[in-house]
């Protein structure tokens, strides 16, 4: 099979498209002929080799990156149900990489059948990014009277949060960078779309809202942008943090003084909280796939050919993508 391999940590150009041996399913495993492989921002950090202290270990080299795949089961290992062959499935590979390839193996109990009518790329968007979104929504508890501000609203998680907030009846302010992304946010139905790369954007948000204030901030960007987002919260507002897009900027800075000053609350929806979730992550995956299968949520997807994984990483690192980035063999 062909796969993307990383032989040395460093820039995106270190991702090499080459022929490798086909993986064979072990006991209780299935092999998936991959039709779509998800690309995550974490993949770019692991590729650089500087993901110190994170929940996912830096891999031994050489490695095939990627942890989200969708495709068709083409073989099963000893003890796995032969009836799975030919099924359309999607799975998260967990801590073991191997997704940027034409074939991938996974424990049979960890796969999900793809809902009827849902494409491979959309399914792979929901198995990782979608399950994260479900976890965020559980913490956010969006209400119809909320004014919800979503950072990176054209991104993989952001676009799903915009959709979910609208379905809950909230007034939605979507932040995105540049005209093309703002157009995407407006197409999703956000009441307001604001360019956070423009100087003075918080004042634009205040002007658009008039006498209303932000009651819920959903922040996955962090850094200075996250801090500005925090400062838009009204009295009694709440902020839900789910990462930071720029490793140099770090997470949104806040202190107990911030909480006391306006009676706001802050919660983190990722990391240990979701990893230690009662019942594990499978329930979030099932809910995410069901939401996409029913049309409740429709993930945005940006596809690249598998051989162009380096270009996909570069685009993601430069925030030049909308929706979930997916590789197609």
């Amino acid at each position: 099979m062909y796969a993307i391999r990383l032989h040395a940590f460093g820039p995106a150009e270190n991702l090499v498209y080459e022929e490798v041996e086909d993986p064979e399913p072990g006991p209780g495993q299935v092999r998936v002929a991959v039709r779509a492989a998800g690309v995550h921002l974490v993949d770019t950090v692991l590729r650089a080799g500087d993901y110190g202290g994170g929940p996912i270990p830096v891999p031994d080299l050489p490695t095939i990156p990627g942890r989200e795949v969708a495709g068709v089961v083409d073989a099963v290992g000893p003890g796995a149900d032969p009836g799975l062959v030919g099924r359309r499935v999607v799975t998260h590979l967990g801590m073991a990489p191997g997704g940027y390839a034409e074939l991938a193996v996974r424990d049979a109990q960890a796969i999900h059948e793809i809902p009827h009518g849902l494409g491979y790329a959309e399914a792979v968007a929901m198995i990782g990014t979608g399950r994260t979104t479900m976890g965020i929504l559980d913490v956010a508890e969006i209400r119809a009277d909320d004014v919800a501000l979503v950072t990176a609203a054209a991104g993989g998680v952001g676009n799903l949060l915009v959709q979910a907030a609208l379905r809950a009846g909230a007034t939605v302010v979507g932040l995105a960078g540049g005209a093309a992304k703002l157009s995407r946010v407006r197409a999703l139905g956000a009441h307001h779309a604001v360019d956070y790369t423009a100087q003075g954007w918080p004042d634009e948000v205040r002007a658009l809202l008039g006498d209303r204030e932000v009651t819920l901030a959903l922040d996955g960007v962090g850094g200075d942008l996250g801090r500005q987002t925090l400062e838009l919260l009204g009295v009694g507002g709440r902020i839900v943090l789910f990462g930071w897009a720029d490793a140099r900027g770090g997470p949104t800075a806040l202190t107990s003084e911030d909480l006391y000053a306006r009676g706001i609350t802050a919660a983190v929806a990722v990391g240990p909280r979701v990893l230690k979730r009662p019942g594990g992550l499978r329930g979030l995956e099932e809910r995410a796939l069901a939401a996409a299968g029913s049309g409740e949520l429709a993930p945005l997807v940006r596809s690249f050919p598998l051989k162009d994984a380096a270009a996909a990483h570069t685009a993601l690192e430069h925030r030049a993508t909308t929706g979930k980035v997916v590789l197609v063999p």
Side-chain angles (χ1 to χ4, degrees), residues 195-210:
D195 189 342
Y196 60 57
T197 66
Q199 188 171 4
W201 68 265
D203 290 332
E204 181 181 353
V205 172
R206 294 185 182 96
L208 288 169
L209 293 178

Side-chain angles (χ1 to χ4, degrees), residues 278-300:
L281 300 176
R282 189 170 180 84
L284 295 178
E285 294 172 352
E286 291 172 347
R287 285 169 50 200
L289 289 168
S294 69
E296 179 180 336
L297 296 176
L300 299 177

Side-chain angles (χ1 to χ4, degrees), residues 60-150:
D60 295 328
L61 300 179
T63 186
I64 298 173
R67 288 173 169 78
E68 306 158 349
V69 298
V72 178
V73 176
D74 78 339
V76 299
D81 180 6
L84 292 172
V85 174
R87 301 281 184 91
R88 299 172 68 246
V89 300
V90 61
T91 186
H92 194 286
L93 299 177
M95 293 297 181
Y100 295 7
E102 293 178 326
L103 297 169
V105 296
R106 185 63 165 125
D107 295 342
Q109 64 183 10
I111 64 173
H112 300 265
E113 284 204 54
I114 298 175
H116 178 73
L118 190 65
Y120 294 112
E122 290 71 24
V124 88
M126 298 308 288
I127 199 65
T129 299
R131 82 177 184 190
T132 298
T133 302
M134 294 298 119
I136 296 166
L137 293 173
D138 284 349
V139 175
E141 297 182 336
I142 304 173
R143 305 185 300 258
D145 61 350
D146 271 323
V147 176
L149 188 151
V150 182

Side-chain angles (χ1 to χ4, degrees), residues 31 53 61 94 141 181 191 200 214 252 259 269 276 288 300 312:
R31 187 173 70 186
L61 300 179
E141 297 182 336
K181 290 185 178 182
H191 298 87
V214 175
T252 294
L259 308 185
K276 297 293 186 180
L300 299 177

